[in-house]
Amino acid sequence: MNTTLDLILEGGTVIDGTGAPRQRLDVGIAADRIVRLGDLSRVPATRRFDATGCIVAPGFIDVHTHDDRLLLEAPEGAHPKLSQGVTTVITGNCGISLAPLHSLETPPAPLDLLGAGPWRYGRFGDYLNELEESGPAVNAACLVGHSTLRVSRMERLDRVATMREQRLMASDLAMALDAGAIGMSTGLYYPPATAANTDEVIAVGAPLTAARGIITMHIRDEGDAIADALSEALLIGRALGIEAVLSHHKLVGKANHGRSVETLSMIDAASRSQSVCLDCYPYNASSTMLLPGRIAQSDDVRVTWSQADPSAAGRSLFSLARERGVPPEVLAETLQPAGAIYFAMSEDDVGRILQYPATMVGSDGLAHDVSPHPRLWGTFPRVLGHYVRERRLFSLETAVHKMTGLSASRFGITEKGILAENHYADIAVFDEQSVGDAATFENPTAVSTGIKAVFINGKLACRDGETMEVHAGRVLRHGRSN
């Protein structure tokens, strides 16, 4: 029966997100779902989209973002996620979430990486409800930050939480999970949580076990002590008996270059007895708050923002320090609060980690930096262009799987991440030969090339980098049909 479909994407080559070989298929959509795949040339449709010569893939899932506040906004012009084919984001990473925290003052760094504005969501459900009402640009699944819980419940952050404080944080987490949060994130590397011990994290995260939530972890150290930090993270995942995600896995500092062989071996061994995976961004430079302790291990440091000296944004800290006749560490102190990009990683490690079968792709972009890391705008096209087409690190089918089906499976996002009948119509259409990142460290907000169209829940959200619909996304609540 040839019922008229709302939309048919015709003439394209489908890479379905499972890792299977590509096929020449049309994609038929009714309302927000894919309803037919095959030769639909004779099937009537209200609209037809010519995808001839293009790859038709599931919309990309950015598993590591700090888009908590960005999702509440409707930015003019190109959108940093829509323009690169992203249709779903995971927010609240690295222990940092916009809720539950009600504060009249600016919370301590790195919570300020989520941008300026009130922290007014005393309950996580309040944040999800407002996000749902405002209509996000992309689909969003949201984590609760352990550091945010600490800031909300503890007067002093330089110690382990008391048993009472742990119970209060666990209760807040349980309420958030009931409201639809998908899990909890940690950021034990950062000042608000460095004093927390392993037992505290397990106690606060206890509600995750029964709720079958997920835990994502910015581990305690990514440099010299990475083996101990990785062991701690794996222990936390085992104790809770849930999926554990190792956030933006990397090795920083020249002394640690090449150690991804060691860390991936540790992860591989652990995966035989527990569920563990990781995410990675395709760059050999990281970005976070400006930390004087990170300067010596970096070949260069680029300031992304500074409240004390806005003119420093986009400049090399080392160059500025020479101009001003002061050591870089001293200058870093005078720029606070501030953010930075650190060039301290090995490209060989980045490639090796990206190739690991359980590695997903996440941008870790910071949407509110004045001069952001280019990963905010270029992560997914960079994988497709630089690492697939140019370096041939893995096949296009494998790359798409790492950015779609694998991510949906690990994060428990149902009916997304794979192009299949009855799945939601989240789709990226791109040119295999021209797709690539245009954003650079000098011009970090340049729009990627080769992303022809992005559909979210059946709606055309972006075409050739131009935003067409800024409210096509939905809130993906844990344990509920979306």
Side-chain angles (χ1 to χ4, degrees):
M1 183 174 67
N2 284 353
T3 303
T4 300
L5 301 181
D6 293 324
L7 172 66
I8 292 177
L9 277 61
E10 58 187 3
T13 298
V14 166
I15 295 180
D16 68 6
T18 66
R22 64 190 73 188
Q23 298 182 73
R24 166 60 195 94
L25 297 170
D26 299 330
V27 181
I29 297 167
D32 58 359
R33 301 268 185 166
I34 298 169
V35 294
R36 293 184 66 177
L37 293 163
D39 180 357
L40 306 182
S41 57
R42 301 192 178 197
V43 176
T46 304
R47 291 180 298 141
R48 307 185 88 90
F49 182 92
D50 185 6
T52 302
C54 292
I55 300 296
V56 179
F60 307 138
I61 299 174
D62 190 344
V63 299
H64 192 106
T65 82
H66 298 283
D67 292 348
D68 307 46
R69 197 182 295 275
L70 177 66
L71 288 166
L72 294 166
E73 302 170 356
E76 296 181 2
H79 190 282
K81 296 305 168 69
L82 288 176
S83 63
Q84 57 178 310
V86 171
T87 58
T88 297
V89 298
I90 310 295
T91 70
N93 285 283
C94 297
I96 309 164
S97 60
L98 199 55
L101 177 61
H102 191 283
S103 175
L104 298 177
E105 301 177 357
T106 301
L111 273 66
D112 56 1
L113 295 179
L114 295 186
W119 291 69
R120 53 190 173 83
Y121 304 103
R123 296 180 302 178
F124 202 83
D126 294 339
Y127 168 69
L128 294 182
N129 289 342
E130 182 163 330
L131 185 57
E132 204 161 55
E133 290 168 8
S134 64
V138 296
N139 302 309
C142 306
L143 297 158
V144 183
H146 171 240
S147 293
T148 298
L149 293 172
R150 289 189 114 236
V151 171
S152 179
R153 289 297 188 179
M154 297 177 65
E155 292 184 4
R156 285 178 45 207
L157 299 170
D158 60 348
R159 57 172 174 77
V160 176
T162 65
M163 295 298 291
R164 178 178 179 276
E165 289 166 339
Q166 291 176 22
R167 286 194 296 270
L168 289 171
M169 288 188 279
S171 176
D172 290 342
L173 174 60
M175 287 180 60
L177 293 168
D178 287 343
I182 63 168
M184 183 177 81
S185 72
T186 69
L188 299 179
Y189 172 80
Y190 290 118
T194 52
N197 61 16
T198 307
D199 290 340
E200 176 190 316
V201 177
I202 294 170
V204 173
L208 295 168
T209 304
R212 299 180 67 184
I214 194 168
I215 187 165
T216 71
M217 291 178 277
H218 182 153
I219 61 178
R220 201 178 290 274
D221 190 272
E222 295 172 323
D224 296 348
I226 192 167
D228 289 341
L230 188 53
S231 294
E232 178 188 38
L234 293 169
L235 188 158
I236 291 169
R238 285 197 305 275
L240 294 172
I242 58 173
E243 181 79 58
V245 181
L246 304 168
S247 293
H248 45 55
H249 187 50
K250 60 182 174 290
L251 291 302
V252 297
K254 288 182 180 179
N256 298 300
H257 290 178
R259 290 186 67 191
S260 59
V261 174
E262 172 191 351
T263 59
L264 292 175
S265 179
M266 290 178 66
I267 295 167
D268 211 38
S271 68
R272 299 184 192 114
S273 59
Q274 67 182 104
S275 190
V276 58
C277 58
L278 56 154
D279 67 71
C280 176
Y281 47 79
Y283 298 86
N284 61 5
S286 59
S287 182
T288 185
M289 56 193 290
L290 178 56
L291 297 162
R294 289 282 299 273
I295 294 170
Q297 62 185 190
S298 303
D299 293 329
D300 194 11
V301 177
R302 184 182 291 267
V303 180
T304 56
W305 65 278
S306 168
Q307 187 171 309
D309 182 2
S311 70
R315 296 289 309 277
S316 164
L317 182 75
F318 295 166
S319 296
L320 277 173
R322 287 192 294 270
E323 289 176 12
R324 299 180 185 185
V326 296
E329 290 80 3
V330 172
L331 177 58
E333 293 288 359
T334 68
L335 295 177
Q336 300 293 341
I341 295 169
Y342 304 90
F343 296 85
M345 297 156 60
S346 159
E347 181 62 28
D348 288 342
D349 284 323
V350 174
R352 189 177 295 118
I353 292 167
L354 272 173
Q355 283 181 302
Y356 185 69
T359 299
M360 303 168 288
V361 176
S363 70
D364 196 16
L366 300 172
H368 307 284
D369 284 2
V370 175
S371 180
H373 191 302
R375 65 193 183 187
L376 176 67
W377 287 81
T379 288
F380 292 84
R382 179 171 175 78
V383 171
L384 299 173
H386 180 67
Y387 286 97
V388 174
R389 187 176 62 246
E390 296 172 9
R391 288 194 55 192
R392 301 182 183 277
L393 205 63
F394 33 66
S395 70
L396 187 60
E397 286 85 347
T398 295
V400 170
H401 174 61
K402 285 176 170 290
M403 304 192 308
T404 59
L406 177 62
S407 306
S409 173
R410 291 292 194 164
F411 277 85
I413 301 172
T414 59
E415 299 174 339
K416 291 184 182 292
I418 295 174
L419 293 188
E421 290 183 4
N422 299 318
H423 278 222
Y424 288 98
D426 295 341
I427 300 171
V429 180
F430 62 90
D431 179 358
E432 181 179 7
Q433 299 306 316
S434 65
V435 67
D437 59 315
T440 64
F441 292 99
E442 294 72 29
N443 185 18
T445 61
V447 177
S448 296
T449 59
I451 302 293
K452 298 301 183 181
V454 183
F455 297 85
I456 300 181
N457 298 308
K459 297 179 180 178
L460 179 60
C462 182
R463 187 161 192 175
D464 294 321
E466 181 182 352
T467 301
M468 309 296 291
E469 169 60 68
V470 79
H471 299 291
R474 295 173 183 166
V475 176
L476 308 180
R477 298 189 190 236
H478 179 59
R480 304 184 195 180
S481 174
N482 299 293

